[in-house]
Amino acid sequence: MSLSVSMWGQKTVTFEDGDYKSIGIYDRWEDSPFRKGKLKGNCAVIDNHLADSTNASEKILAVQRSRFGSNTFGVRIDLTEPFELSVTGKDVTFDIHRPYGGRVMIIGLGRRSDRPHQSVETEQFTLISKTDIPADSWQHVTIPAKGAPGVLIYSIVIVPDCESPHDYKEDKACYIDNINQY
Amino acid sequence: MNRLRLLVVSGLSVVSMGVFAQLPMKEESLKNPDNEPSPVHPVPHPRQMKWQQVEYYAFFHYGMNTYTGKEWGYGDEDPAIFAPTTYPDVRQWLEVAKKAGMRGGIAVAKHHDGFCLWPTETTSHNVTASGNEFGQSVNIPRDFAKAAEKLDMKYGFYVSPWDRNSVHYGTDRYVRDVFLRQCAELAQYGDDQFEMWLDGANGGNGWYGGRDTVVVVDRPVYYDIPNLRDSIRTLCPDCVMWGMGGDARWIGNEAGWAGETNWSARNSWGTVTTANMYGCEAGWTWMPGESDAKATDAGWFWRPWEKPLSPERIFRMYLETVGRNATLILNLPPDRSGLIPKATADSLIEAGRLIRERLGQKDYAKSAKVKADAVRKSGKHRSYKAANLTDDIYDTYWATDDDIRTATVEFEWKHPKTLRYVDIMEYIPKGQRIRKFHIEVTEDGKNWEPAAQDSETTTIGYRRIIPLKGDTRAYSDGVSARGLRIVIEDSKACPLISKVSIY
């Protein structure tokens, strides 16, 4: 089966009409209880109960930010088809609504097109917002991503809270929508 | 609603069950029978932990530049210039390092001039084209790995991404067919390599196979670092990829010092002079600092007129690097015979003696009565008592309860001791925490006075060595004390200290 590679130019993952393959939990920390199978995590596509003028879409992605995860704990969105990174860089954008201030991160998982046996879960980029993203409202985040020629991205991980959770007493829900690359 | 409650109670993942009005929160908890503190992220990967524990190791700059007298070869050097007067004895290099107290070494396999010190398939610009039989038959990485194994030392290789000889440099073909393949060839000399040194210096002018031009690249993108890392990790799982590899950072100078405040965390950007020398308290990734410095007063490569630094100067470097939460890779350049010169070897070995004697022979912490004003509640199999500070077991540590971020540990002797250094190690597998501390001593057991006032007693990290009197520049006559306190004033979370030594 051959894979088609898309070059994004328009909104691609809106969570409205199954425009993604699957979702799950991801943590970069190798001793994470989510990697060791001790905890499962929690994420789902839900109705947009936070609709406003910034984001009026019907469906959004929700993830329970676990206090047991690391500062690179997030939700993974497996794409329906991979896209190729650009050496000059493309902006990855998304909308986020969460109860935390601070930084967010995106991680691209994929492989080189000339390494068919390489795991598609190889981290190809890990990029953090350079500024703090305000809490409690929809915020549009733009993070430029680039890579060597022939690098394909199969999944995007969004880390809704890139701070150490060691002081957190409870988990909180974070919401993501409209993931694009331009 | 009842359906939602059932899903939550039964612990089923909600992912596959359709769309919900709001995310039903799932109650998850982790058993913690040993009452272990939560990690303060970022934390080191196990390979970074093993790397940090090597602490002090050697750098061996040997290659074409040894014979041309250059520091950065242009790439147009005739391979016949490489003509060792004897067969290079890499075992002697490592023996010198071992006698000096170093635990490993990194050998240059290819520098910016592109001349490869092993019979690589990727380019003819290698040892097989050398000027004599000694050069033609040598294979530095192979011999180095074997010698390290025999001497029970850690080893790894420096391979310059920048290649001023290669006609393909600047094109995808260089990365795909030359550089990545060279790294893979080097990785096959031993799957237990502890570090691969990927020099950040690159781009600029060069021979480039006769193009004789300037080539500038966007380094992380051009060298495809994520996939280089993946390749090397597959072959050498514990190999820390220094510099451009992202596992450890350049300390920001080549003078042999780290900031007294030195966080192992860093962000993946930041100016060299700040984020490299001092780290970032709020850094998101664990990227500890390595200080690269020279044990001689000339260049990285051997020069006929070079003189070694004095043993005292090297001891000071040790205090200002290993003693400030960094590792120290100290350069010992082999000469044209392929040996470390005697003068350099002698100075290094003497410095090793100073390190052993001043920071290893008499640890007064072990004979002290030790106590802490706060101790974390024990778990089923683990306690956090103050005695853990002197048991020589890294994985046991003293800690306080979660809500206590300031505390004091105290060492007491029946009779006064002359003390010069206190050597503290945080338990960093759970992150670096301490922001500020100070030291106090008492001579009569009642009146406490501040000590180490010439030091910035801020961070600790993997290891912090504090001179109790004066600073790192001179070996003082010490302070007389029958009691010493480490007073933690500020910490990101409950402090965890694995070891305290007092010399």
Side-chain angles (χ1 to χ4, degrees), chain A residues 47 64 112 118 146 167, chain B residues 20 26 218 224 227 405:
Chain A
D47 291 333
Q64 180 173 329
R112 280 177 67 102
Q118 185 182 18
K146 54 184 176 179
D167 281 336
Chain B
F20 298 93
K26 193 165 135 184
D218 179 352
D224 195 9
N227 292 298
R405 303 202 175 178

Side-chain angles (χ1 to χ4, degrees), chain A residues 95-115:
Chain A
D95 296 328
I96 192 164
H97 189 304
R98 73 232 170 97
Y100 310 99
R103 299 167 295 180
V104 300
M105 171 186 279
I106 55 168
I107 303 171
L109 306 179
R111 68 169 174 86
R112 280 177 67 102
S113 57
D114 59 357
R115 294 185 187 176

Side-chain angles (χ1 to χ4, degrees), chain B residues 17-151:
Chain B
M17 300 300 291
V19 177
F20 298 93
Q22 288 199 35
L23 180 70
M25 296 297 278
K26 193 165 135 184
E27 184 57 41
E28 288 195 305
S29 62
L30 277 178
K31 290 181 185 169
N32 189 10
D34 287 337
N35 191 28
E36 291 189 60
S38 296
V40 174
H41 291 279
V43 298
H45 188 283
R47 77 170 69 85
Q48 291 173 308
M49 199 58 225
K50 289 177 193 171
W51 171 87
Q52 188 90 56
Q53 289 171 322
V54 182
E55 294 187 1
Y56 179 39
Y57 38 102
F59 217 169
F60 300 108
H61 275 68
Y62 175 74
M64 179 63 76
N65 293 339
T66 307
Y67 300 88
T68 62
K70 295 178 188 170
E71 284 287 276
W72 284 9
Y74 193 65
D76 59 346
E77 293 81 15
D78 182 348
I81 294 173
F82 183 80
T85 55
T86 61
Y87 189 86
D89 186 353
V90 299
R91 187 182 168 114
Q92 185 255 4
W93 305 358
L94 285 168
E95 283 173 341
V96 168
K98 187 161 184 164
K99 284 180 189 166
M102 295 165 157
R103 294 179 183 161
I106 303 282
V108 168
K110 181 188 92 166
H111 208 258
H112 309 321
D113 53 84
F115 185 71
C116 295
L117 297 178
W118 77 103
T120 175
E121 292 179 359
T122 62
T123 174
S124 59
H125 197 57
N126 70 61
V127 285
T128 58
S130 299
N132 65 16
E133 197 180 316
F134 293 127
Q136 289 160 15
S137 59
V138 81
N139 181 334
I140 296 293
R142 178 199 65 195
D143 295 349
F144 196 75
K146 279 188 183 164
E149 187 189 6
K150 289 214 159 41
L151 292 169

Side-chain angles (χ1 to χ4, degrees), chain A residues 41-104:
Chain A
N42 183 21
C43 59
V45 174
I46 61 171
D47 291 333
N48 184 4
H49 62 291
L50 301 167
D52 63 10
S53 56
T54 305
N55 183 6
S57 65
E58 287 186 14
K59 302 284 187 279
I60 56 178
L61 173 62
V63 59
Q64 180 173 329
R65 198 278 189 251
S66 171
R67 63 198 182 280
F68 299 114
S70 75
N71 64 330
T72 57
F73 169 93
V75 62
R76 167 179 165 166
I77 302 103
D78 297 325
L79 306 173
T80 52
E81 51 186 55
F83 70 92
E84 185 169 343
L85 283 179
S86 158
V87 297
T88 53
K90 296 277 174 82
D91 287 340
V92 175
T93 69
F94 55 94
D95 296 328
I96 192 164
H97 189 304
R98 73 232 170 97
Y100 310 99
R103 299 167 295 180
V104 300

